[in-house]
Amino acid sequence: MSKETEKSNDAAAASATGSHALQFGTAWQYESATEGTDHFEIAERYDLFVDGEFVAPQSGEYFATINPATGEPLCEVASANAADVDRAVAAAKAALPGWKRKSGDERARYLFRIARILQERAREFACLETLDNGKPIAETRDVDVPLAAQHFFYHAGWADKLDLLFPGRVPVPVGVIGQVIPWNFPLLMAAWKIAPALAGGNTVVLKPAETSPLTALRLAEVFQQAGLPAGVVNFVTGDGATGQALVRHPDLDKVAFTGSTEVGKDIQQAVAGRGVDLTLELGGKAAHIVFEDAAIDQAVEGVVRGIFFNQGHVCCAGSRLLVQESVHDLFVRKLARRMERIRVGNPLDKNTDMGAIHSAAQLARIEELVAAGVDEGATLHQSSCELPGQGFWFAPTMFTNVALSHRIAREEIFGPVLSVLTFRTPEEAVEKANNTSYGLSAGIWTDKGARILWLADRLRAGVVWNNTFNRFDAASPFGGFKESGFGREGGRAGMRAYVRLQDGLSAG
Ligand code: NAD
């Protein structure tokens, strides 16, 4: 690392830990050893993005978005009320005929252009996401932003090939789509939702999470830069009330939601009986199963990535480790040692492994469940790392002696907390893995291919990773069973959710 870079990281560390109080309308500088310096602005205030432009909310209200690494506000964002949502849906409805009349080839060009601009502005997006979300820059730079661009590239590829995707049927757009997303992968979730919708010829109103709206609003700038016709994508910022107004709007043809199971159930009731398509991507409590014949050191790395990636704010996080009894002690020893080496701190430092917990509310939830784990008799192991004095932080944590009945084995913690259970036989592993109301993901570490197939066939989880974990690709469908939701995002299955299929014969 060069002297200059060290200095700039120190400066970033100083601001990220709050020793320089942030002013609204700050110009940011981020410097990396290999890629040069980036400057970008965070405005004092952001309005709603409706019909191709930024407009003041009719509500007249704004709320602050916070940098979780400091607890300080970054800027203010408009709060959309029902009238604002109505205006955005009207814009999407008005834009629909023009957008769906475009050929697949024309739509593909817009998507390619958006993907390329995202790549060009990748560092700005990575920094902004890190500031607004608290996740480490190494993750936003290497995972969130490249994957978001990949989703636009991938779906650009489908836009003019929908006929091939559904042979013998006629794919037509669903119509106006209302989308609501969570805070843990703000830009990536927006890309997951918007790219297939546009490829399918639909128009969109999307509501980002209230605690991480900034990259969606910057994506609006990308849409302007790409010349996307006005009204094709609209962003309404606000809290759950804005989301409620959106999913209940009578002019929607489909609702796509990613978030908690509790809100997913509320939305399911809200759209019931209205003839509105619905896809739900909800919570999870994944089993990460390690057999005695696994490559143990690789499995330790996989388990660490499975639970500590993105501070554990991952719906498919491997939050329940099921380790075969014969290797339990060895595995836990190695895990505890590895946890000590996780670098927790300034998310803008590219050597940081784990950043800030996203919000005070999420930190309180993690603390409550960890206290419940101790009360219920599990054994707590925590990294001795030093945590910054300001902002929201939690050390990498593991519980052993966990019983299936404990809250930490049943409830989604959505933080850097691993619950370790044991099993003796593959049958017991399957039984314990499936003993949950969720069914989003699972992981298997073993040397035996036949065992992987045997387990994958029996695990009630939408995604099963083998000798790896938390791997994502635009071509690979993602979604859950049971209380983890229904519908898929990504791949051919994901595209299916954004078209309706017609059958018909022509005269002659
Ligand atoms: P959340 O359900 O509280 O909020 C998600 C979004 O819904 C936010 O934008 C919020 O403002 C909005 N919202 C809240 N109440 C609403 C209502 N009644 N009607 C409409 N919208 C409403 O979830 P969160 O805390 O932001 O995110 C964490 C949850 O998301 C976790 O449970 C996690 O597992 C889940 N998640 C799932 C996936 C997946 O793909 N399955 C991906 C990421 C996160």
Side-chain angles (χ1 to χ4, degrees):
M1 194 196 290
S2 74
K3 276 257 151 53
E4 285 74 17
T5 311
E6 254 167 345
K7 244 189 288 156
S8 131
N9 280 341
D10 286 348
S15 14
T17 51
S19 52
H20 299 316
L22 257 176
Q23 300 298 315
F24 280 171
T26 305
W28 276 88
Q29 179 171 317
Y30 172 73
E31 188 174 335
S32 97
T34 50
E35 300 155 86
T37 307
D38 276 306
H39 299 269
F40 66 96
E41 303 274 331
I42 298 179
E44 223 167 283
R45 242 181 193 195
Y46 286 91
D47 284 324
L48 307 172
F49 184 68
V50 177
D51 209 13
E53 47 189 52
F54 287 93
V55 296
Q58 294 179 40
S59 72
E61 287 174 15
Y62 292 82
F63 59 94
T65 182
I66 306 283
N67 177 352
T70 64
E72 309 262 347
L74 284 166
C75 63
E76 287 192 331
V77 176
S79 176
N81 64 14
D84 292 309
V85 167
D86 194 41
R87 189 170 165 193
V89 174
K93 196 173 171 184
L96 183 64
W99 183 246
K100 72 193 222 192
R101 254 198 319 274
K102 288 197 186 298
S103 67
D105 177 52
E106 279 177 294
R107 290 201 301 271
R109 280 178 215 212
Y110 286 105
L111 288 167
F112 276 127
R113 222 176 284 157
I114 292 164
R116 273 192 231 106
I117 298 170
L118 257 179
Q119 286 184 321
E120 280 161 19
R121 296 177 63 172
R123 281 178 284 164
E124 171 191 352
F125 270 94
C127 291
L128 190 63
E129 194 77 304
T130 285
L131 285 168
D132 202 19
N133 175 280
K135 62 173 77 189
I137 190 82
E139 285 178 12
T140 49
R141 184 195 60 193
D142 298 342
V143 181
D144 298 59
V145 180
L147 266 182
Q150 192 208 16
H151 271 266
F152 282 103
F153 276 123
Y154 175 81
H155 289 95
W158 278 133
D160 61 351
K161 300 175 197 68
L162 294 176
D163 295 351
L164 302 178
L165 198 49
F166 307 105
R169 318 283 305 271
V170 182
V172 296
V174 179
V176 177
I177 320 285
Q179 305 179 327
V180 179
I181 59 172
W183 46 259
N184 57 339
F185 292 93
L187 176 68
L188 186 57
M189 289 297 113
W192 275 31
K193 296 254 177 305
I194 295 169
L198 298 194
N202 307 282
T203 57
V204 168
V205 178
L206 182 141
K207 192 199 87 64
E210 55 273 42
T211 51
S212 59
L214 296 188
T215 45
L217 295 169
R218 199 139 305 211
L219 190 57
E221 290 176 17
V222 170
F223 294 157
Q224 286 178 323
Q225 207 181 331
L228 190 72
V232 170
V233 178
N234 307 271
F235 290 115
V236 286
T237 42
D239 61 12
T242 309
Q244 276 183 325
L246 178 58
V247 302
R248 282 167 175 75
H249 198 287
D251 286 343
L252 295 186
D253 298 294
K254 170 180 163 71
V255 169
F257 172 73
T258 297
S260 61
T261 295
E262 191 189 349
V263 172
K265 286 179 181 173
D266 179 63
I267 291 176
Q268 202 168 6
Q269 282 170 2
V271 304
R274 281 170 38 199
V276 172
D277 291 5
L278 177 65
T279 42
L280 296 176
E281 302 273 6
L282 308 175
K285 191 74 188 174
H288 206 159
I289 306 169
V290 177
F291 284 89
E292 62 188 2
D293 64 359
I296 294 291
D297 290 328
Q298 284 172 30
V300 168
E301 285 309 307
V303 169
V304 164
R305 183 180 166 80
I307 186 62
F308 300 119
F309 168 65
N310 202 30
Q311 296 73 245
H313 302 327
V314 183
C315 49
C316 50
S319 51
R320 287 185 301 151
L321 171 63
L322 299 183
V323 58
Q324 201 157 18
E325 218 171 74
S326 49
V327 287
H328 169 270
D329 292 356
L330 170 73
F331 202 84
V332 163
R333 243 190 344 266
K334 282 179 180 264
L335 250 182
R337 246 198 335 262
R338 179 67 181 81
M339 271 167 53
E340 278 294 318
R341 296 208 312 275
I342 294 173
R343 287 163 299 208
V344 183
N346 177 16
L348 282 172
D349 183 333
K350 58 186 176 359
N351 295 313
T352 292
D353 299 315
M354 228 180 80
I357 297 302
H358 178 64
S359 64
Q362 189 57 34
L363 180 58
R365 159 112 185 128
I366 295 167
E367 287 172 343
E368 190 225 322
L369 276 160
V370 167
V374 173
D375 284 352
E376 288 184 319
T379 310
L380 176 75
H381 309 254
Q382 223 161 18
S383 160
S384 63
C385 65
E386 205 175 308
L387 299 177
Q390 274 181 290
F392 317 124
W393 302 92
F394 203 80
T397 298
M398 162 170 72
F399 276 105
T400 52
N401 295 318
V402 178
L404 265 181
S405 58
H406 289 169
R407 283 183 69 197
I408 53 169
R410 312 202 70 77
E411 295 181 33
E412 187 181 38
I413 303 175
F414 222 54
V417 183
L418 179 68
S419 301
V420 184
L421 299 113
T422 59
F423 67 90
R424 286 187 186 162
T425 63
E427 288 77 10
E428 191 186 351
V430 169
E431 196 192 309
K432 285 188 167 166
N434 286 341
N435 191 337
T436 167
S437 56
Y438 294 112
L440 189 55
S441 65
I444 308 166
W445 291 83
T446 174
D447 204 25
K448 294 191 175 61
R451 178 175 283 166
I452 289 173
L453 296 176
W454 186 90
L455 268 118
D457 205 30
R458 287 162 178 77
L459 291 171
R460 295 279 296 144
V463 181
V464 180
W465 282 294
N466 306 309
N467 293 322
T468 186
F469 205 89
N470 273 345
R471 285 278 189 119
F472 308 99
D473 191 281
S476 176
F478 184 89
F481 293 157
K482 303 198 284 187
E483 292 202 1
S484 292
F486 48 80
R488 294 292 177 267
E489 289 186 314
R492 179 188 169 120
M495 206 51 246
R496 175 68 189 87
Y498 284 97
V499 290
R500 285 190 179 144
L501 299 179
Q502 284 180 337
D503 299 294
L505 294 175
S506 310

